[in-house]
Amino acid sequence: MNRSTSPLIAFAVAALGIAIFSSMDALMKGLVIALGTYNALTWRMLAGTVVSGIPYALSRPRWPARAVMRIHLMRGLVSAVMAYLFFWGLGRVPMAQAIALSFIAPIIVLFLAALILKERITRVALIATAMAFAGVLVILWGQARAELGPEAFWGAIAILVSAVCYAWNIILMRQQSLVAGPGEVAFYQTLIVTAVYLLAAPWLMVVPPLAEVPALVLAAMLATASLFLLSWAYARAEASYLAPTEYTGFLWATLWGWVVFGERVSLFTVAGAALIVGGCILAAGRRDNAPVADSEAQLP
């Protein structure tokens, strides 16, 4: 696999992956409200297993090595917890607020990348992250001025815990992308999360209304495309460099929250978004692309 791609191209591809994933979030918010968190996620993951499994099977893949499968399994388990908490919270708070709260993940990633992947934390990366995090604080300050009910409070707590899981997920995604292709990553990620959710099927699973099936299939397609793009990008640039692309998700969450759910955008939101975009532009301006470490050294 050629990993000599310009870091700016990898940054742009990761940002596109986040945009697609944010669009899927809007679909999932509606599905969570209509079907409940468990059924919306489980049926989407089942559809995603088919969507990602067909092209993967056509590629005539080999069975992954034991060390690689261990990474697939670990990321799948972390993702199952992360996704459930996030979408449970998303059904209870505005999209923009949910994404803003999840922005603690890239902050944690910088330090996890240094600890686990032995990546260097540059001054530019710290400044960019500080700018983006300041934008998140501005948004939360504005949100705090509004009264929140108990459902929104617990939704916010679930999203914060999910964000901690997501920080670990980003590190695992970097490790996974160094030893497996995008098609393999997308398939095993979806398959393992689906298997975890199906453990509760005898007690929680119900057949969704036919009218919700197109949305479930589309959500699965968007999730698979996002996983493919992010895997491609993380195989070609460091996790600490790409982590700020997560902040662009706020812009898409604001757009879809307003268009689909009629969620109002405040001046605090606009000011925070400006800081977030500024941080991302600063991060994208980092030109140095450290050589990708040997993949075997990344295995846990």
Side-chain angles (χ1 to χ4, degrees), residues 11-264:
F11 193 95
V13 171
L16 177 60
I18 295 298
I20 293 174
F21 204 81
S22 298
S23 301
M24 184 273 296
D25 285 345
L27 274 174
M28 285 300 296
K29 181 179 174 75
L31 288 167
V32 166
I33 293 172
L35 305 176
T37 306
Y38 175 79
N39 281 285
L41 268 174
T42 302
W43 285 104
R44 191 209 87 187
M45 299 308 297
L46 280 169
T49 302
V50 176
V51 170
S52 62
I54 292 175
Y56 180 62
L58 291 176
S59 70
R60 297 183 178 180
R62 295 181 179 179
W63 185 260
R66 180 178 298 179
V68 177
M69 182 57 75
R70 189 163 66 245
I71 295 180
H72 290 327
L73 181 61
M74 187 180 300
R75 188 183 174 206
L77 293 173
V78 172
S79 295
V81 176
M82 174 196 76
Y84 190 89
L85 289 172
F86 178 79
F87 287 112
W88 187 89
L90 184 62
R92 290 159 175 79
V93 300
M95 283 193 66
Q97 181 181 354
I99 299 301
L101 290 170
S102 72
F103 283 164
I104 66 168
I107 307 299
I108 300 171
V109 163
L110 287 176
F111 302 97
L112 286 180
L115 179 65
I116 299 174
L117 302 179
K118 310 304 179 185
E119 293 183 1
R120 182 167 52 92
I121 301 178
T122 67
R123 181 178 300 178
V124 172
L126 288 173
I127 294 173
T129 301
M131 283 182 62
F133 189 57
V136 173
L137 293 179
V138 170
I139 294 163
L140 292 180
W141 183 29
Q143 301 264 338
R145 296 164 66 92
E147 293 185 4
L148 298 175
E151 282 286 301
F153 172 77
W154 289 114
I157 295 299
I159 290 169
L160 286 172
V161 177
S162 173
V164 176
C165 294
Y166 190 51
W168 188 11
N169 181 70
I170 290 176
I171 299 299
L172 291 170
M173 177 163 52
R174 168 65 168 164
Q175 293 177 313
Q176 191 181 34
S177 298
L178 290 173
V179 296
E184 180 180 325
V185 169
F187 172 68
Y188 280 103
Q189 166 86 353
T190 308
L191 178 66
I192 292 168
V193 174
T194 302
V196 171
Y197 290 153
L198 285 177
L199 293 176
W203 301 277
L204 299 177
M205 197 171 186
V206 296
V207 178
L210 190 60
E212 304 292 352
V213 172
L216 286 166
V217 173
L218 179 56
M221 294 174 66
L222 292 174
T224 300
S226 177
L227 282 170
F228 187 95
L229 291 171
L230 290 171
S231 176
W232 187 94
Y234 273 81
R236 289 160 175 81
E238 294 179 350
S240 55
Y241 173 63
L242 295 178
T245 62
E246 300 290 332
Y247 294 122
T248 62
F250 172 78
L251 303 177
W252 297 105
T254 300
L255 173 64
W256 294 126
W258 175 58
V259 171
V260 180
F261 302 101
E263 297 168 353
R264 188 174 62 87

